[in-house]
């Protein structure tokens, strides 16, 4: 362009024929699509940035539609489900994944979130792993809405808090031991005071009895 700015155009070209079907020219229609192209680029950059953030937070992230089919997830969740990329999980539901035995319970909970249009924040639960170990997680489930406010699915984030939970349990056990030790020390102090009082009485007594 004359002002030095790049413009994007959509061009349609059609050949012209004479009566003998011989090409004698070309007709074309060009339409300025710069605004649309810029909007598409901005949308792509925004999605790329969002995916970068989602892939690098230390928790599982995924989102579903109203039919509870997966629309997307971060890399960590895809890996936990046994996939090498987030794209492989799109269109699947919980009955297609390794935790299919718990799928009915999961979907019933998801359906309540969608039906009631109410977020469920910070609920903690334990899960038995295939190796027999137990992990603790803190989960948030948030309804997703369209422009008119209708619920179209839900966003879920799950954080593994097993180490924190174990540390809290260790602190609780240590506190209980400390309280027991203090109580025992108080009893011993009381006994020591009684012994000293008896000794003082014996010293001031002039008679054996």
């Amino acid at each position: 362009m004359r002002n030095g700015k790049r413009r994007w155009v959509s061009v349609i070209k059609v050949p012209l024929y004479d009566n003998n079907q011989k090409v004698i020219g070309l007709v074309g229609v060009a339409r300025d699509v710069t605004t649309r192209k810029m909007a598409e680029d901005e949308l792509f950059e925004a999605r790329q940035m969002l995916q970068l953030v989602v892939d690098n937070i230390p928790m599982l992230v995924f989102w579903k539609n109203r039919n509870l089919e997966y629309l997307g997830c971060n890399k960590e969740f895809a890996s936990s489900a046994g996939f090498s990329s987030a794209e492989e999980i799109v269109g699947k539901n919980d009955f297609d994944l390794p935790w299919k035995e718990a799928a009915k319970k999961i979907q019933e909970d998801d359906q309540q979130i969608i039906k009631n249009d109410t977020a469920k924040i910070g609920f903690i639960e334990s899960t038995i792993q295939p190796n027999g170990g137990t992990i603790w997680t803190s989960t948030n489930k948030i309804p997703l809405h369209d422009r008119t406010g209708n619920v179209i699915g839900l966003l879920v984030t799950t954080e593994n808090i097993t180490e924190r939970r174990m540390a809290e349990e260790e602190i609780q056990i240590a506190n209980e031991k400390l309280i027991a030790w203090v109580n025992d020390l108080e009893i011993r102090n009381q006994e020591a005071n009684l012994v000293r009082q008896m000794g003082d009485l014996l010293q001031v007594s002039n008679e054996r009895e």
Side-chain angles (χ1 to χ4, degrees):
M1 300 298 291
R2 292 180 180 178
N3 58 9
K5 293 183 178 179
R6 182 184 294 275
R7 307 294 294 180
W8 292 89
V9 294
S10 174
V11 179
I12 299 176
K13 296 181 179 181
V14 180
L16 293 176
Y17 301 90
D18 61 13
N19 293 334
N20 297 319
Q21 296 300 309
K22 182 180 179 180
V23 177
I24 59 174
L26 188 71
V27 62
V29 177
R31 183 162 58 97
D32 189 333
V33 294
T34 304
T35 301
R36 188 184 74 185
K37 177 64 176 176
M38 292 176 63
E40 290 175 351
D41 289 346
E42 290 176 0
L43 179 60
F44 174 79
E45 291 175 1
R47 287 179 174 174
Q48 191 176 44
M49 182 63 69
L50 177 61
Q51 191 66 46
L52 184 64
V53 172
V54 167
D55 283 337
N56 287 278
I57 57 177
M59 61 176 58
L60 308 179
V61 183
F62 59 89
W63 47 100
K64 302 177 180 178
N65 59 22
R66 285 188 64 91
N67 296 324
L68 304 182
E69 296 169 334
Y70 286 88
L71 297 177
C73 66
N74 65 351
K75 290 181 180 179
E76 189 167 348
F77 183 80
S79 177
S80 71
F83 298 106
S84 57
S85 69
E87 289 75 16
E88 295 179 67
I89 204 170
V90 175
K92 292 181 170 56
N93 61 46
D94 292 293
F95 287 96
D96 301 320
L97 301 177
W99 48 85
K100 58 185 178 181
E101 294 182 358
K104 183 178 179 181
K105 179 181 177 182
I106 293 172
Q107 290 199 348
E108 287 175 351
D109 190 60
D110 291 346
Q111 288 168 350
Q112 287 297 313
I113 302 296
I114 293 174
K115 178 181 177 181
N116 298 330
D117 191 10
T118 303
K120 189 175 182 181
I121 305 297
F123 67 93
I124 297 174
E125 58 185 353
S126 62
T127 305
I128 304 298
Q129 299 298 289
N131 60 6
T134 300
I135 65 169
W136 289 88
T137 56
S138 175
T139 301
N140 304 308
K141 293 187 176 184
I142 305 169
L144 296 175
H145 304 86
D146 60 16
R147 292 183 179 180
T148 59
N150 296 315
V151 179
I152 57 174
L154 73 161
L155 171 71
V156 182
T157 65
T158 300
E159 180 183 6
N160 188 331
I161 60 169
T162 304
E163 292 185 3
R164 187 176 77 193
R165 183 81 177 191
M166 293 175 64
E168 290 173 350
E169 291 178 353
E170 290 177 359
I171 291 174
Q172 183 177 354
I173 292 173
N175 286 337
E176 292 175 353
K177 289 182 178 180
L178 180 60
I179 292 172
W181 180 77
V182 170
N183 291 336
D184 183 64
L185 183 61
E186 289 179 351
I187 293 174
R188 291 179 181 274
N189 285 337
Q190 291 176 2
E191 292 175 347
N193 288 333
L194 289 174
V195 170
R196 283 196 296 270
Q197 291 175 8
M198 292 177 62
D200 293 341
L201 290 173
L202 289 173
Q203 289 178 4
V204 300
S205 176
N206 293 326
E207 298 179 1
R208 180 178 180 182
E209 294 180 357

